[in-house]
Amino acid sequence: MSPLLMGLLGVMLLPLFVANWRSSLLGLSCQGLLIGWAAYRLDPHLASPHTWLTLADLVLLRGFGAPLLLYRALRGKNRALHQQFFSPNLLTWTIALGLVLAAFNLAASLIPQDGDERALTSVATAGVLLAFLVLASQAGAFGQVVGALRLENGIALFELGEQQRHEHITLHIGQLALVLATLSLYLWLFRGLVETHEAHASTDEPTL
């Protein structure tokens, strides 16, 4: 496995072990940037509009845009929304490592020949399974948004192996618009929850 994919697997796992909202946003940012790096290595021709759209999606939107917008929405807001959202304990660590092992075994069954394709599929499968772990274990808004964004990153990594087969510019534009629309929806819902929590907090404050 290449150092790039090993680093990507590491940033998928690390936020589950450190388990705080800042490390979760940093993990999302690193995932977007590393997936963008992998996309560039697969298609380093910057003259191609497909490469520019893919990098805009992965680097600008997922690597910088989404984490920064979530950080701005969380900073200074109700602490109940960004408390430690994933309880770090031996059980969750074991489940996370077990899902990674299952992902690599599944990729080995689907792709018998060892190489970059199997490694990419292994890490992408691990990313999707770890995203489902976050979604299944979190009831709060922040945990659900992080899990959904992690899931989209795992799917984007799967798509890297297929990007050479889909050269239609409209498909890339549609994918970018879809990611932007879903991110806008997450932020709209999240900000609504922040305002609701702030309103409840202000009404619950004791009066003299």
Side-chain angles (χ1 to χ4, degrees):
M1 182 184 296
S2 68
L4 174 58
L5 290 178
M6 291 179 63
L8 183 55
L9 181 61
V11 299
M12 290 176 177
L13 280 170
L14 187 60
L16 303 182
F17 285 78
V18 178
N20 59 60
W21 68 279
R22 289 183 177 87
S23 67
S24 299
L25 295 181
L26 180 61
L28 286 176
S29 178
C30 291
Q31 287 176 37
L33 295 176
L34 290 176
I35 297 173
W37 186 9
Y40 171 73
R41 292 184 60 182
L42 289 174
D43 186 14
H45 304 292
L46 290 179
S48 171
H50 310 288
T51 303
W52 282 109
L53 286 172
T54 300
L55 293 179
D57 177 9
L58 297 173
V59 177
L60 296 180
L61 194 55
R62 300 173 193 256
F64 291 109
L68 286 175
L69 290 172
L70 285 173
Y71 178 79
R72 288 188 61 185
L74 280 167
R75 187 180 58 183
K77 302 299 181 181
N78 194 296
R79 291 185 177 273
L81 291 174
H82 52 70
Q83 288 177 344
Q84 193 175 52
F85 78 104
F86 196 98
S87 301
N89 55 56
L90 184 59
L91 177 61
T92 55
W93 294 343
T94 303
I95 293 174
L97 294 176
L99 290 176
V100 173
L101 182 60
F104 276 75
N105 288 334
L106 177 61
S109 300
L110 296 175
I111 307 173
Q113 186 177 2
D114 194 11
D116 292 339
E117 185 180 3
R118 183 201 282 186
L120 184 66
T121 304
S122 300
V123 177
T125 306
V128 170
L129 293 179
L130 292 174
F132 280 129
L133 174 62
V134 175
L135 286 170
S137 60
Q138 303 306 313
F142 178 67
Q144 289 292 304
V145 170
V146 169
L149 292 174
R150 287 173 66 104
L151 181 60
E152 290 187 2
N153 286 341
I155 295 173
L157 190 57
F158 266 120
E159 292 174 348
L160 288 186
E162 301 292 325
Q163 69 176 3
Q164 300 299 327
R165 303 179 189 177
H166 303 294
E167 294 297 331
H168 295 291
I169 191 70
T170 53
L171 179 62
H172 290 272
I173 295 174
Q175 289 175 339
L176 181 60
L178 182 61
V179 173
L180 184 59
T182 55
L183 176 59
S184 301
L185 177 61
Y186 295 153
L187 289 171
W188 178 69
L189 293 173
F190 192 71
R191 285 171 179 168
L193 289 171
V194 168
E195 293 174 358
T196 301
H197 275 267
E198 289 180 337
H200 284 302
S202 63
T203 55
D204 292 339
E205 288 181 355
T207 57
L208 297 177

